[in-house]
Amino acid sequence: MSRFLTAFTVILFALGVSVRAQESKATLRAGAAASVITPPLGEPIVGGFTPFPAEHIHDELHARCLVLDDGKTKLALVVCDLLGLHRSVAVEAKSLIEKELGIPGSHVVISGTHTHSATNALYGEVRTYSSDIELTDYQRFVARRIADGVRRAVNLLRPAEIAFGHIDVPDHVFNRRWYLKEGTMPMNPFGKTDEKVKMNPGAGADNLIEPAGPIDPRVSFLVLREPGGKIISLYSAYSLHYVGGVGQAHVSADYYGYYSKAVERLLGSEKQDPPVVAMMANGTSGDINNINFRQPRGRKEPYEQMQFVADDLAAKVTAAVPALEWKTEAALDARYRELDVKWRTIPDDLLQWARETEANAPRIGDKAVLPLAYAGRVQRLAKASPETKLPVHLLKIGEVCIGTTPCETFAETGMEFREKSPFKHSFMVELVAGYYGYMPTPRHFELGGYETWPGTNNLEPQASVKVMDALLEMAGEMAPGK
Ligand SMILES: [Zn+2]
């Protein structure tokens, strides 16, 4: 009897050891896939002030999906070639993913790149300020294709090594908010000339003094490869609004599409199955674009500049890959919150201005386009749904932390997060899980300019502070050693 018990104990002990050995060997797994989300022609292109129907597809739009699995937890990162996506589109995609794959919505980070040559995934049929909308057919299609892309990435999960890298590429990023010489500030749509900064002043104009904020030159990237060396995916983020310069009424993924294809080619995708999936998320680029305001702009052919930017970034990022330090493990975790950030309040005199502007528009003629657009936005903002349900995610990928916002976020916010986060490596991705307009820091509300106008900015002036506090609190909860 006792001998039997001893033998039994030995067997149990051996089993326990083998289970533990298997656990410690449980390596990271990764899989990636890209879903086409190109809209039908005729869908409204929404990059400018007045939407117009798409007449041509220059290059297909994608939802590029990466899934990571540490044996206990799965995370999904999705980058869509869209100007942005409404909270309800993200909610629909996340609920499909949760139902079909068991990955909770908190662990699924879906972002728009901010290509201005995509169709409407960020408002309902009419532009309202509401945290919940009825989806259009195209928006349902996008949500379905995101969920299918994540499912295909899960199908392709395989043992993986991970590396984090970053390089600085200041060449392509310029702050677009400028102090102007006294007396040269043009009138804004609200009839005021008392603002301190101008967005997109004339490039090379002689009334420019200096930019009102920094640039963030950092490209942050995560690379996944099979233990034999074949690349699975490269996920990156850079704080560049977009490049633009497309053909008339064209649908295009802008530089994000060219970059992804170039990285895939440079990392050997053509020779392998499944292919490499590369993606470029938008960092924090609310006040950053690709225009060098110090000199006049030269003329370029359509697509020339975006291809130039994409090829340069792809060459520099892929050149940094061979020197990266690879790890076979990365503990995964995620946090998600919907913040009680308020919509911007519309004072009575502003509402009065909006009503009068709209009523008098026929007498103002062509020049009323901008004031009329803001008169409409101001009146709709005054009727915003009670809650914003402002969504923010925090992902932990080993020593790397990704914080997200659903806004066009300023470069200095991303830099502040990187500096204050308790993780070894941190970066931010914007336009995640919803679209809530620009989010200037309180300092910038004092300066004024396009990004602070009601209807461009839709949230209370303290929004960026509340988002930062929430992100740092969540980062503190998950930091290594906690
Ligand atoms: Zn924008």
Short mmCIF file of all heavy atoms in Angstrom, two decimals, residues 44-47 82-89 114 118-128 130 133 136 138-139 408 431 434-437:
data_model
loop_
_atom_site.label_atom_id
_atom_site.label_comp_id
_atom_site.label_asym_id
_atom_site.label_seq_id
_atom_site.Cartn_x
_atom_site.Cartn_y
_atom_site.Cartn_z
N PRO A 44 -19.30 58.32 -50.00
CA PRO A 44 -18.72 59.65 -49.82
C PRO A 44 -17.30 59.63 -49.22
O PRO A 44 -17.07 59.00 -48.18
CB PRO A 44 -19.69 60.33 -48.85
CG PRO A 44 -20.37 59.21 -48.13
CD PRO A 44 -20.40 58.05 -49.07
N ILE A 45 -16.36 60.29 -49.91
CA ILE A 45 -15.01 60.49 -49.38
C ILE A 45 -15.08 61.64 -48.38
O ILE A 45 -15.61 62.71 -48.69
CB ILE A 45 -14.01 60.79 -50.52
CG1 ILE A 45 -13.85 59.54 -51.41
CG2 ILE A 45 -12.65 61.24 -49.96
CD1 ILE A 45 -12.89 59.71 -52.56
N VAL A 46 -14.56 61.42 -47.16
CA VAL A 46 -14.84 62.37 -46.08
C VAL A 46 -13.63 63.15 -45.57
O VAL A 46 -13.68 63.75 -44.51
CB VAL A 46 -15.51 61.63 -44.89
CG1 VAL A 46 -16.96 61.32 -45.20
CG2 VAL A 46 -14.74 60.35 -44.52
N GLY A 47 -12.52 63.15 -46.31
CA GLY A 47 -11.33 63.84 -45.82
C GLY A 47 -11.44 65.36 -45.76
O GLY A 47 -10.81 65.99 -44.92
N LEU A 82 -8.60 54.14 -42.87
CA LEU A 82 -9.81 54.96 -42.74
C LEU A 82 -9.40 56.32 -42.17
O LEU A 82 -8.39 56.42 -41.47
CB LEU A 82 -10.79 54.31 -41.76
CG LEU A 82 -11.39 52.96 -42.15
CD1 LEU A 82 -12.13 52.35 -40.96
CD2 LEU A 82 -12.32 53.11 -43.35
N LEU A 83 -10.22 57.36 -42.41
CA LEU A 83 -9.99 58.66 -41.78
C LEU A 83 -10.12 58.50 -40.26
O LEU A 83 -9.44 59.16 -39.48
CB LEU A 83 -11.00 59.68 -42.30
CG LEU A 83 -10.83 61.12 -41.83
CD1 LEU A 83 -9.53 61.73 -42.33
CD2 LEU A 83 -12.01 61.99 -42.28
N GLY A 84 -10.99 57.61 -39.86
CA GLY A 84 -11.22 57.29 -38.46
C GLY A 84 -12.41 56.37 -38.43
O GLY A 84 -13.03 56.12 -39.47
N LEU A 85 -12.71 55.84 -37.26
CA LEU A 85 -13.91 55.00 -37.18
C LEU A 85 -14.73 55.40 -35.98
O LEU A 85 -14.18 55.74 -34.93
CB LEU A 85 -13.57 53.51 -37.17
CG LEU A 85 -12.83 52.89 -35.99
CD1 LEU A 85 -13.03 51.39 -35.99
CD2 LEU A 85 -11.35 53.20 -36.07
N HIS A 86 -16.05 55.41 -36.16
CA HIS A 86 -16.94 55.78 -35.06
C HIS A 86 -16.87 54.72 -33.97
O HIS A 86 -16.63 53.55 -34.25
CB HIS A 86 -18.37 55.92 -35.58
CG HIS A 86 -19.27 56.58 -34.58
ND1 HIS A 86 -19.89 55.89 -33.56
CD2 HIS A 86 -19.61 57.89 -34.41
CE1 HIS A 86 -20.59 56.73 -32.81
NE2 HIS A 86 -20.44 57.95 -33.31
N ARG A 87 -17.11 55.15 -32.73
CA ARG A 87 -17.16 54.21 -31.61
C ARG A 87 -18.06 53.01 -31.91
O ARG A 87 -17.71 51.87 -31.60
CB ARG A 87 -17.65 54.96 -30.36
CG ARG A 87 -17.72 54.10 -29.13
CD ARG A 87 -18.24 54.91 -27.93
NE ARG A 87 -18.54 54.01 -26.84
CZ ARG A 87 -19.64 53.28 -26.75
NH1 ARG A 87 -20.56 53.33 -27.69
NH2 ARG A 87 -19.81 52.46 -25.72
N SER A 88 -19.20 53.27 -32.56
CA SER A 88 -20.16 52.17 -32.83
C SER A 88 -19.59 51.15 -33.83
O SER A 88 -19.94 49.98 -33.76
CB SER A 88 -21.48 52.73 -33.36
OG SER A 88 -22.11 53.48 -32.35
N VAL A 89 -18.73 51.58 -34.75
CA VAL A 89 -18.10 50.65 -35.70
C VAL A 89 -17.14 49.74 -34.92
O VAL A 89 -17.11 48.52 -35.09
CB VAL A 89 -17.35 51.39 -36.82
CG1 VAL A 89 -16.66 50.42 -37.76
CG2 VAL A 89 -18.31 52.29 -37.60
N HIS A 114 -5.96 57.58 -40.66
CA HIS A 114 -6.25 58.98 -40.99
C HIS A 114 -5.95 59.30 -42.45
O HIS A 114 -5.73 60.46 -42.81
CB HIS A 114 -5.51 59.95 -40.07
CG HIS A 114 -6.27 61.24 -39.82
ND1 HIS A 114 -7.60 61.26 -39.51
CD2 HIS A 114 -5.89 62.55 -39.86
CE1 HIS A 114 -8.00 62.53 -39.35
NE2 HIS A 114 -6.99 63.33 -39.56
N ALA A 118 -10.40 58.07 -47.84
CA ALA A 118 -11.25 56.93 -47.51
C ALA A 118 -12.67 57.44 -47.34
O ALA A 118 -12.90 58.65 -47.24
CB ALA A 118 -10.76 56.28 -46.23
N THR A 119 -13.61 56.51 -47.29
CA THR A 119 -15.02 56.92 -47.17
C THR A 119 -15.50 56.81 -45.72
O THR A 119 -14.74 56.44 -44.84
CB THR A 119 -15.90 56.10 -48.14
OG1 THR A 119 -15.84 54.72 -47.76
CG2 THR A 119 -15.41 56.26 -49.57
N ASN A 120 -16.76 57.14 -45.54
CA ASN A 120 -17.27 57.42 -44.20
C ASN A 120 -17.43 56.21 -43.28
O ASN A 120 -18.37 55.44 -43.42
CB ASN A 120 -18.62 58.14 -44.33
CG ASN A 120 -19.21 58.46 -42.98
OD1 ASN A 120 -18.49 58.53 -41.98
ND2 ASN A 120 -20.52 58.63 -42.94
N ALA A 121 -16.50 56.11 -42.31
CA ALA A 121 -16.68 55.13 -41.23
C ALA A 121 -16.80 55.84 -39.89
O ALA A 121 -16.88 55.21 -38.86
CB ALA A 121 -15.51 54.15 -41.20
N LEU A 122 -16.78 57.19 -39.91
CA LEU A 122 -16.71 57.89 -38.63
C LEU A 122 -17.94 58.70 -38.23
O LEU A 122 -18.00 59.16 -37.09
CB LEU A 122 -15.43 58.73 -38.53
CG LEU A 122 -15.25 60.01 -39.31
CD1 LEU A 122 -13.97 60.68 -38.88
CD2 LEU A 122 -15.23 59.78 -40.77
N TYR A 123 -18.90 58.88 -39.12
CA TYR A 123 -20.17 59.49 -38.74
C TYR A 123 -21.30 58.60 -39.25
O TYR A 123 -21.08 57.76 -40.11
CB TYR A 123 -20.38 60.86 -39.42
CG TYR A 123 -19.21 61.79 -39.27
CD1 TYR A 123 -18.54 62.26 -40.39
CD2 TYR A 123 -18.80 62.20 -38.01
CE1 TYR A 123 -17.46 63.12 -40.25
CE2 TYR A 123 -17.71 63.06 -37.87
CZ TYR A 123 -17.06 63.51 -38.99
OH TYR A 123 -16.01 64.35 -38.86
N GLY A 124 -22.50 58.87 -38.74
CA GLY A 124 -23.66 58.19 -39.31
C GLY A 124 -24.01 58.83 -40.65
O GLY A 124 -23.18 59.51 -41.25
N GLU A 125 -25.23 58.64 -41.11
CA GLU A 125 -25.65 59.24 -42.38
C GLU A 125 -25.49 60.76 -42.32
O GLU A 125 -25.10 61.40 -43.27
CB GLU A 125 -27.10 58.88 -42.71
CG GLU A 125 -27.33 57.40 -43.00
CD GLU A 125 -26.83 56.96 -44.38
OE1 GLU A 125 -26.29 57.79 -45.14
OE2 GLU A 125 -26.97 55.76 -44.69
N VAL A 126 -25.81 61.34 -41.15
CA VAL A 126 -25.55 62.77 -40.93
C VAL A 126 -24.53 62.90 -39.80
O VAL A 126 -24.41 62.01 -38.96
CB VAL A 126 -26.83 63.57 -40.54
CG1 VAL A 126 -27.66 63.90 -41.75
CG2 VAL A 126 -27.65 62.82 -39.50
N ARG A 127 -23.81 64.02 -39.82
CA ARG A 127 -22.76 64.22 -38.83
C ARG A 127 -23.37 64.71 -37.51
O ARG A 127 -23.78 65.85 -37.39
CB ARG A 127 -21.76 65.24 -39.37
CG ARG A 127 -20.60 65.49 -38.44
CD ARG A 127 -19.62 66.42 -39.12
NE ARG A 127 -18.54 66.76 -38.20
CZ ARG A 127 -17.29 66.93 -38.58
NH1 ARG A 127 -16.95 66.81 -39.83
NH2 ARG A 127 -16.36 67.24 -37.70
N THR A 128 -23.46 63.81 -36.53
CA THR A 128 -23.97 64.19 -35.22
C THR A 128 -22.87 63.97 -34.19
O THR A 128 -21.83 63.40 -34.50
CB THR A 128 -25.17 63.32 -34.82
OG1 THR A 128 -24.77 61.96 -34.84
CG2 THR A 128 -26.35 63.53 -35.76
N SER A 130 -22.60 61.99 -31.15
CA SER A 130 -23.25 60.96 -30.36
C SER A 130 -22.30 59.79 -30.20
O SER A 130 -21.56 59.46 -31.14
CB SER A 130 -24.52 60.51 -31.09
OG SER A 130 -25.05 59.37 -30.43
N ILE A 133 -24.28 55.31 -32.85
CA ILE A 133 -25.00 55.60 -34.10
C ILE A 133 -25.50 54.31 -34.73
O ILE A 133 -25.02 53.21 -34.40
CB ILE A 133 -24.11 56.33 -35.15
CG1 ILE A 133 -22.85 55.51 -35.48
CG2 ILE A 133 -23.79 57.74 -34.72
CD1 ILE A 133 -22.14 55.91 -36.76
N THR A 136 -24.04 52.37 -41.16
CA THR A 136 -24.37 52.28 -42.59
C THR A 136 -23.95 50.89 -43.09
O THR A 136 -23.23 50.15 -42.39
CB THR A 136 -23.62 53.34 -43.41
OG1 THR A 136 -22.21 53.05 -43.34
CG2 THR A 136 -23.86 54.75 -42.87
N TYR A 138 -21.77 50.21 -45.37
CA TYR A 138 -20.30 50.15 -45.47
C TYR A 138 -19.67 49.96 -44.09
O TYR A 138 -18.73 49.18 -43.92
CB TYR A 138 -19.74 51.41 -46.15
CG TYR A 138 -18.22 51.41 -46.17
CD1 TYR A 138 -17.53 50.41 -46.88
CD2 TYR A 138 -17.48 52.35 -45.46
CE1 TYR A 138 -16.14 50.37 -46.88
CE2 TYR A 138 -16.10 52.31 -45.47
CZ TYR A 138 -15.43 51.32 -46.18
OH TYR A 138 -14.06 51.28 -46.16
N GLN A 139 -20.22 50.63 -43.09
CA GLN A 139 -19.66 50.51 -41.73
C GLN A 139 -19.85 49.09 -41.18
O GLN A 139 -18.96 48.56 -40.51
CB GLN A 139 -20.30 51.56 -40.82
CG GLN A 139 -19.84 52.98 -41.21
CD GLN A 139 -20.66 54.09 -40.59
OE1 GLN A 139 -21.68 53.85 -39.95
NE2 GLN A 139 -20.22 55.32 -40.80
N GLU A 408 -7.72 63.17 -32.49
CA GLU A 408 -6.53 63.69 -33.16
C GLU A 408 -5.74 64.39 -32.06
O GLU A 408 -6.06 65.49 -31.64
CB GLU A 408 -6.93 64.64 -34.30
CG GLU A 408 -7.91 63.93 -35.24
CD GLU A 408 -8.09 64.63 -36.57
OE1 GLU A 408 -7.09 65.10 -37.14
OE2 GLU A 408 -9.24 64.71 -37.05
N LEU A 431 -6.75 57.79 -32.68
CA LEU A 431 -7.87 57.37 -33.53
C LEU A 431 -8.23 55.91 -33.31
O LEU A 431 -8.50 55.16 -34.24
CB LEU A 431 -7.55 57.64 -35.01
CG LEU A 431 -7.24 59.11 -35.32
CD1 LEU A 431 -6.73 59.27 -36.73
CD2 LEU A 431 -8.46 59.99 -35.09
N GLY A 434 -12.81 54.83 -31.73
CA GLY A 434 -13.81 55.87 -31.89
C GLY A 434 -13.19 57.09 -32.54
O GLY A 434 -11.97 57.13 -32.76
N TYR A 435 -14.04 58.07 -32.88
CA TYR A 435 -13.53 59.33 -33.43
C TYR A 435 -14.21 60.50 -32.73
O TYR A 435 -15.43 60.67 -32.82
CB TYR A 435 -13.75 59.43 -34.95
CG TYR A 435 -13.22 60.75 -35.45
CD1 TYR A 435 -11.85 60.92 -35.67
CD2 TYR A 435 -14.05 61.86 -35.62
CE1 TYR A 435 -11.34 62.15 -36.05
CE2 TYR A 435 -13.55 63.09 -36.00
CZ TYR A 435 -12.19 63.22 -36.22
OH TYR A 435 -11.68 64.44 -36.57
N TYR A 436 -13.42 61.33 -32.02
CA TYR A 436 -13.98 62.43 -31.23
C TYR A 436 -13.34 63.77 -31.56
O TYR A 436 -13.32 64.68 -30.74
CB TYR A 436 -13.81 62.13 -29.73
CG TYR A 436 -14.73 61.02 -29.24
CD1 TYR A 436 -14.43 59.68 -29.51
CD2 TYR A 436 -15.90 61.30 -28.55
CE1 TYR A 436 -15.27 58.66 -29.08
CE2 TYR A 436 -16.75 60.28 -28.11
CZ TYR A 436 -16.42 58.97 -28.38
OH TYR A 436 -17.26 57.96 -27.96
N GLY A 437 -12.77 63.92 -32.77
CA GLY A 437 -12.20 65.20 -33.17
C GLY A 437 -10.84 65.46 -32.55
O GLY A 437 -10.18 64.56 -32.03
#
